[in-house]
Amino acid sequence: MTTHQPLHPTPPSATHPSTPAPLTPAATAEVAPPTPAITLTTPTAPTTPAPSERLVVTVCRDPEQFGALADAWDGLYRRCAAATPFQSHAWLHSWWLSYGQRGRLRLVLVHREASATPEPPQSPEQVHASAAPAGTPAAPARELVGAAPLMLRYRPLPTLFPLGLDISDFCDFLLDDRCPRAADALATGLRHLARTALVELREVRPGAAAERVVERWRGPVRRRADSVCLELPGVPMDDLLRRLSGASARNARRKLRRVDELGITHRAVAEHEVPGAVATMLALHGQQWQGRGVTPEHLRPRFAEHLARATRQLVRTGDAALTEYRLGDLVLVSEVTLFSRHLAGGYLYGAHPEARAKVDIATMLLRQDAARATATGRRVLSLLRGDEPYKRHWRPETVVNRRLLLARRRLAPALWLRAGHLTARGALANLARTRLPVLLAWRSRLRARRTGGTPR
């Protein structure tokens, strides 16, 4: 299996005259027949012995190598302001372990290499005295400055999709904010992979790093709306209450007083307790939605394994918190909250059946999430995907994720076919929501049979 497969070279005007630094011996043994990697060179003044710099684009298909990228990936993640925890190595690698299919991994990686240019020898004696041959460059320092985590699917057409799809609220690439040319290099690598496949980026949040790559795409692009996300400002609860009408604000305050009067406490779960606490949360989540159309994936073992594994790592790095709300020794509610540089959002929660009769769960969770966002200076409190009425109650801002379809020009007909299919499917779904309630009832009954519940 290929570990890092070098890409075909770009035209000479964009290629450094020297070949990229070799991979490690272990990796080199697995690499397919050597071909030059794509390199983008930063020009330097001829009279200045400054380090030369180039960007090297490779494709990683080896899951073990993906796991070994953790430190470099995390460093890039911290240098990308647009990143969310759904782009962290903890989340994506865990997702691959639970959901990945053999032979489908496609990671487009951009490394920046810098090596000092050696000074020419001054005399024959110096050449013979040198331990290294004349003109041997120093070993280049490699730094990951761009990554596109993708996988290949063959249905309905050969298409590259983001890792983490379906259970991630946002999908994106990673670009080092200090390296403007990383977007060009990533677009070049993506174009190489798209020789025989479409590219379909799902759940792309406005302002995402992927948008910078799409701006540099040479070929047809189609944009479609994806999931609706609702957002509130990252302000204290009192400020959120001011967004409501007088009667609604008084009612919310009454509900919060009820939480305090009952003596419900909350605590952050420690890292070593996360696996057990996630199991408890998912059990509560299943009870909470029993008979009301629970998302089937949330009840599957692979999701539980992924969420426990990823949440534990994210709690360790401060990118997530798992909070339990207790009444005495009874866990009433448990919630996973995720944090990016500018955003905090509740990902999933589970509630004991008795909790719904005792308190307003959404209001209780919102108060704690708002307090966290305020304390950490995050300016956005995201309610993540979903346009439920209880979220609309708080008068949030609507933010629509985007679905971006890309292809090379020779695959344009396949792109148009896929875009037309999505348009038709969206029109039928809208028709079902607005004019065919019978179909919705039938779908609800079908889902209930699959999950063993009763239809809504």
Side-chain angles (χ1 to χ4, degrees):
M1 181 178 295
T2 303
T3 303
H4 280 293
Q5 179 179 343
L7 305 182
H8 295 297
T10 54
S13 60
T15 308
H16 194 275
S18 61
T19 57
L23 303 174
T24 60
T28 305
E30 299 179 359
V31 173
T35 55
I38 293 177
T39 59
L40 302 176
T41 306
T42 301
T44 56
T47 58
T48 305
S52 62
E53 181 183 87
R54 63 180 179 178
L55 300 183
V56 180
V57 185
T58 56
V59 173
C60 174
R61 304 173 185 233
D62 184 357
E64 291 186 6
Q65 186 67 24
F66 183 19
L69 284 170
D71 291 341
W73 196 286
D74 287 343
L76 172 59
Y77 171 73
R78 300 297 173 193
R79 299 190 300 273
C80 180
T84 70
F86 299 113
Q87 285 75 61
S88 67
H89 189 273
W91 183 269
L92 292 177
H93 186 251
S94 176
W95 183 92
W96 179 261
L97 293 176
S98 293
Y99 293 89
Q101 298 180 34
R102 184 175 181 179
R104 304 291 182 85
L105 183 65
R106 302 290 187 274
L107 304 179
V108 184
L109 306 175
V110 181
H111 283 90
R112 177 167 53 192
E113 292 188 351
S115 59
T117 304
E119 296 183 4
Q122 300 298 316
S123 66
E125 290 77 9
Q126 289 179 318
V127 173
H128 292 298
S130 174
T136 300
R142 292 171 62 90
E143 182 180 38
L144 188 63
V145 295
L150 301 167
M151 60 179 174
L152 180 63
R153 290 181 177 176
Y154 292 101
R155 296 179 181 177
L157 297 168
T159 306
L160 293 160
F161 287 97
L163 295 188
L165 201 56
D166 299 329
I167 64 169
S168 300
D169 289 64
F170 306 122
C171 296
D172 199 3
F173 298 158
L174 290 176
L175 292 172
D176 192 325
D177 294 330
R178 307 172 308 170
C179 184
R181 296 185 308 119
D184 296 285
L186 203 57
T188 301
L190 192 60
R191 179 175 170 79
H192 170 84
L193 279 185
R195 290 176 303 171
T196 57
L198 303 179
V199 180
E200 185 168 334
L201 307 180
R202 297 287 312 277
E203 306 298 355
V204 178
R205 175 180 164 81
E211 290 185 340
R212 284 180 268 164
V213 176
V214 174
E215 288 173 359
R216 292 157 171 80
W217 183 258
R218 292 186 291 126
V221 176
R222 293 292 183 270
R223 293 173 171 83
R224 296 290 185 271
D226 217 333
S227 298
V228 171
C229 298
L230 302 179
E231 295 183 354
L232 292 167
V235 296
M237 190 63 180
D238 286 342
D239 291 341
L240 294 180
L241 290 171
R242 294 189 186 98
R243 301 169 66 88
L244 306 179
S245 65
S248 295
R250 287 192 295 272
N251 189 36
R253 290 189 177 93
R254 178 182 58 78
K255 293 175 179 178
L256 291 174
R257 286 196 299 271
R258 174 65 175 166
V259 172
D260 297 334
E261 291 167 358
L262 288 172
I264 296 175
T265 60
H266 64 270
R267 74 176 189 100
V269 175
E271 177 195 337
H272 69 278
E273 300 175 298
V274 166
V278 166
T280 299
M281 182 190 71
L282 291 177
L284 293 176
H285 184 76
Q287 296 174 31
Q288 166 194 350
W289 288 101
Q290 187 173 8
R292 298 191 299 133
V294 66
T295 301
E297 187 59 37
H298 291 167
L299 304 182
R300 293 183 176 134
R302 64 182 182 182
F303 179 78
E305 292 169 1
H306 157 71
L307 193 62
R309 184 169 50 229
T311 301
R312 182 169 187 173
Q313 295 181 64
L314 291 171
V315 166
R316 180 189 310 144
T317 57
D319 296 302
L322 177 53
T323 307
E324 289 184 341
Y325 298 79
R326 292 174 173 260
L327 184 59
D329 294 331
L330 177 65
V331 178
L332 279 183
V333 183
S334 184
E335 180 192 35
V336 171
T337 307
L338 301 178
F339 307 108
S340 69
R341 188 180 301 184
H342 304 298
L343 177 148
Y347 175 69
L348 190 72
Y349 75 90
H352 194 282
E354 294 181 7
R356 296 177 62 195
K358 293 179 180 294
V359 295
D360 186 305
I361 298 170
T363 303
M364 179 178 70
L365 297 181
L366 185 64
R367 177 171 66 173
Q368 179 62 17
D369 290 343
R372 278 204 179 99
T374 303
T376 56
R378 291 177 168 92
R379 60 174 181 264
V380 175
L381 177 57
S382 178
L383 307 180
L384 299 181
R385 290 185 296 177
D387 197 3
E388 295 86 353
Y390 80 90
K391 296 179 181 179
R392 287 288 180 187
H393 172 74
W394 295 94
R395 299 180 180 178
E397 178 184 355
T398 300
V399 179
V400 181
N401 289 344
R402 307 296 292 175
R403 184 195 299 249
L404 305 176
L405 306 171
L406 294 73
R408 294 179 68 147
R409 289 186 176 88
R410 65 182 178 183
L411 292 180
L415 178 69
W416 300 333
L417 180 63
R418 176 61 174 163
H421 169 73
L422 293 174
T423 299
R425 192 173 68 179
L428 289 174
N430 185 60
L431 181 65
R433 282 193 302 269
T434 58
R435 299 190 180 183
L436 297 176
V438 175
L439 284 181
L440 292 179
W442 174 82
R443 185 181 67 175
S444 179
R445 287 195 294 271
L446 181 61
R447 286 182 174 177
R449 288 180 183 177
R450 290 176 177 172
T451 57
T454 57
R456 283 187 284 181

